[in-house]
Amino acid sequence: MDWMNVAVIVLIVAFLVWRMMPTKGVSNITTIDLRKQLNEKNKQYIDVRTPGEYKSHHIKGFKNIPLQELTTKASQLSKEKEVIVICQSGMRSNKASKLLKKMGFQQVTNVKGGMSTWS
C-alpha cells in the first residue's frame, strides 16, 4: 500500500472518530438517569423520531419534533431551560443535540441508547 492510500484511510478513520465524539457542552444520560428526572418542570423533553415512530410508542411528557423539522421548530423551545433529547437509538438525538448547541441552546442533554433502551 502506498502512502496515499494510507493517508486516505487515516483521514476516513479520523473523520469517523470525530463524528462519534461527544459534542462539547452536550451532556449524555442513560434512560435510567432519565427516569429519575422525568417529571422536572424546568426541563424540556424532545423526541426527534418521526411522527409514526412517536405515535407507536413514546414517553409521556416528551414533545415530538422530528429531526428534519428541528431547525424550523426550535423557536418553540426556551433557550433558558435544559433540553433533553431522545430518539430510537441515540444517533438522531445526538445530531439534534449538536444542532441545538449550534443554535445557542446552553443546556442540552442526549439520552444514550434512546427508546431502544427504555423499558
Side-chain angles (χ1 to χ4, degrees), residues 29-106:
I29 61 171
T30 65
T31 53
I32 294 167
D33 298 327
L34 175 62
R35 282 188 191 282
K36 295 174 187 171
Q37 52 186 284
L38 194 54
N39 296 317
E40 294 182 21
K41 301 293 182 206
N42 62 335
K43 298 182 182 187
Q44 304 166 96
Y45 302 93
I46 305 301
D47 187 325
V48 295
R49 296 177 300 154
T50 65
E53 289 174 300
Y54 180 82
K55 187 177 178 182
S56 70
H57 178 63
H58 64 273
I59 302 169
K60 185 178 177 186
F62 273 79
K63 180 178 182 178
N64 185 222
I65 301 179
L67 180 59
Q68 306 88 301
E69 300 173 16
L70 189 58
T71 53
T72 57
K73 293 188 176 181
S75 61
Q76 299 173 6
L77 304 171
S78 170
K79 290 186 177 183
E80 283 72 50
K81 290 183 176 180
E82 181 179 1
V83 182
I84 297 181
V85 188
I86 197 167
C87 68
Q88 186 61 39
S89 68
M91 297 297 283
R92 284 177 283 180
S93 59
N94 189 40
K95 281 184 181 180
S97 297
K98 289 178 182 182
L99 194 57
L100 289 167
K101 278 306 278 185
K102 287 180 183 176
M103 287 190 266
F105 287 82
Q106 297 302 308

Side-chain angles (χ1 to χ4, degrees), residues 6 10 16 24 68 79 103:
V6 172
V10 167
L16 292 173
K24 186 176 181 179
Q68 306 88 301
K79 290 186 177 183
M103 287 190 266

